[in-house]
Amino acid sequence: MKCSFCNSEFTEEESVKSCGHCALFSGCRLVKCPSCGYEMPQTPEIVKRFRKWRTRLSARKPSDTAAKESTGEGLLSDLRTGSRAEVIDIRTSNPRERGKLLALGITPGTIVALVQRVPSFVIRVGYTQLALDRETAATIVIVRLRENPERPKGRRLEQVRDIADAEG
């Protein structure tokens, strides 16, 4: 466990030892940090299971570069300006940062377009443009989308002049 006040890590057994003098010892649902004495609520069992499942799931993903190159998988920070990609995953150990990105609409399956890279990464998600720093952009795993073949442009100026000369 990690104390949300002093960030020291401890086990549940250490927490029980520091809580032993409390009168509500048996019915209390708080965890006490042995370092600073800060009391915080216990982590619910479902949250513990979800975190365990998430770490197992992220450990199963292929990490070798050959597989990434063959599927076109990469990081948002490696995308070229003007390119589009589909978000595959957000790989960050910070749950707050992950939550903010999800709340902003950067979810797996979302199509994003890179508008600019300097001074910060600006991406378009639907009709919204977001600015991200380089570290945050490096946590977003994407699959590049194939570029659309160039559409034929309008007539060139020379062709227009030739037509005008021929007509007139």
Side-chain angles (χ1 to χ4, degrees):
M1 300 182 83
K2 192 172 193 177
C3 177
S4 54
F5 187 70
C6 70
N7 286 330
S8 67
E9 294 195 22
F10 57 93
T11 63
E12 286 188 40
E13 292 82 27
E14 292 172 335
S15 171
V16 170
K17 288 178 186 174
S18 64
C19 247
H21 305 297
C22 180
L24 298 174
F25 177 66
S26 62
C28 179
R29 293 188 177 259
L30 296 176
V31 176
K32 187 172 185 178
C33 174
S35 300
C36 66
Y38 181 72
E39 293 180 341
M40 57 200 140
Q42 290 178 345
T43 306
E45 190 63 34
I46 187 114
V47 173
K48 290 179 186 177
R49 287 183 185 173
F50 177 74
R51 287 178 181 162
K52 192 180 212 181
W53 173 78
R54 191 176 64 186
T55 54
R56 268 192 271 140
L57 184 65
S58 64
R60 276 193 262 161
K61 293 187 178 176
S63 61
D64 58 299
T65 55
K68 287 181 182 178
E69 289 174 6
S70 66
T71 61
E73 188 174 316
L75 300 175
L76 182 64
S77 60
D78 299 332
L79 198 62
R80 290 186 311 196
T81 304
S83 299
R84 294 175 356 138
E86 180 181 353
V87 176
I88 299 299
D89 191 17
I90 300 171
R91 293 189 183 154
T92 178
S93 59
N94 186 348
R96 257 194 177 151
E97 182 178 4
R98 181 180 180 83
K100 285 180 184 179
L101 291 172
L102 292 172
L104 289 170
I106 303 173
T107 59
T110 303
I111 305 296
V112 297
L114 186 63
V115 177
Q116 78 178 35
R117 293 176 57 97
V118 177
S120 63
F121 285 81
V122 175
I123 61 171
R124 184 178 301 118
V125 181
Y127 292 105
T128 305
Q129 288 190 356
L130 305 170
L132 305 172
D133 60 354
R134 181 171 299 278
E135 293 78 23
T136 303
T139 64
I140 301 172
V141 181
I142 51 104
V143 170
R144 290 175 183 84
L145 297 178
R146 278 187 351 176
E147 299 294 326
N148 292 336
E150 282 198 35
R151 292 180 287 160
K153 305 282 184 196
R155 293 184 176 171
R156 292 188 176 166
L157 184 59
E158 295 86 24
Q159 292 173 336
V160 173
R161 285 185 183 150
D162 290 342
I163 294 171
D165 290 339
E167 289 178 358

